[in-house]
Amino acid sequence: PAGLDDCTSALQWMHGQRDSLGIAKIVVSGDSGGGNLTLATALKAKRDGRLDQIDGVYALCPYISGLYATQPANLPSMTENDEYFLACRMLGAMAAIYNPDGNPTDPLA
């Protein structure tokens, strides 16, 4: 997804400018959808051999599943807590819009 590409580009730029900007540490951080991008950025950096560009990762309440629409049996809390705060069908629709051509279990999506 484009959001991950943006995060990866921003990370590479920041890393390349560390000295000129006086940056000692780069911590990738986000919550909810941003938490998903935080984890995906770190995983992509690892896959691409650039994990050394990241000094820390903080994901607060990350949106980490694309399986909300299917509510798998091995994740009973999705069914037990459905509509307590958010509806799984709505989260499933948002996941499909964010990643329409992708695999819902791809950790980079």
Side-chain angles (χ1 to χ4, degrees):
L4 178 57
D5 294 338
D6 291 346
C7 289
T8 300
S9 294
L11 172 63
Q12 291 173 359
W13 185 88
M14 290 293 294
H15 179 71
Q17 306 302 317
R18 272 185 195 240
D19 292 337
S20 64
L21 294 173
I23 296 171
K25 303 242 183 231
I26 295 175
V27 176
V28 182
S29 176
D31 68 50
S32 191
N36 169 282
L37 287 170
T38 295
L39 297 173
T41 299
L43 289 170
K44 185 162 176 35
K46 183 178 180 182
R47 286 186 184 178
D48 294 346
R50 295 187 180 118
L51 194 56
D52 64 317
Q53 295 179 354
I54 300 173
D55 298 298
V57 174
Y58 180 75
L60 174 66
C61 194
Y63 183 103
I64 57 172
S65 176
L67 298 175
Y68 287 103
T70 59
Q71 297 181 356
N74 64 334
L75 299 174
S77 64
M78 291 176 90
T79 302
E80 294 165 358
N81 297 302
D82 191 17
E83 297 189 13
Y84 177 70
F85 182 67
L86 296 169
C88 286
R89 67 182 177 280
M90 180 184 67
L91 293 170
M94 291 190 311
I97 291 167
Y98 176 74
N99 189 22
D101 300 324
N103 176 348
T105 61
D106 181 355
L108 296 184

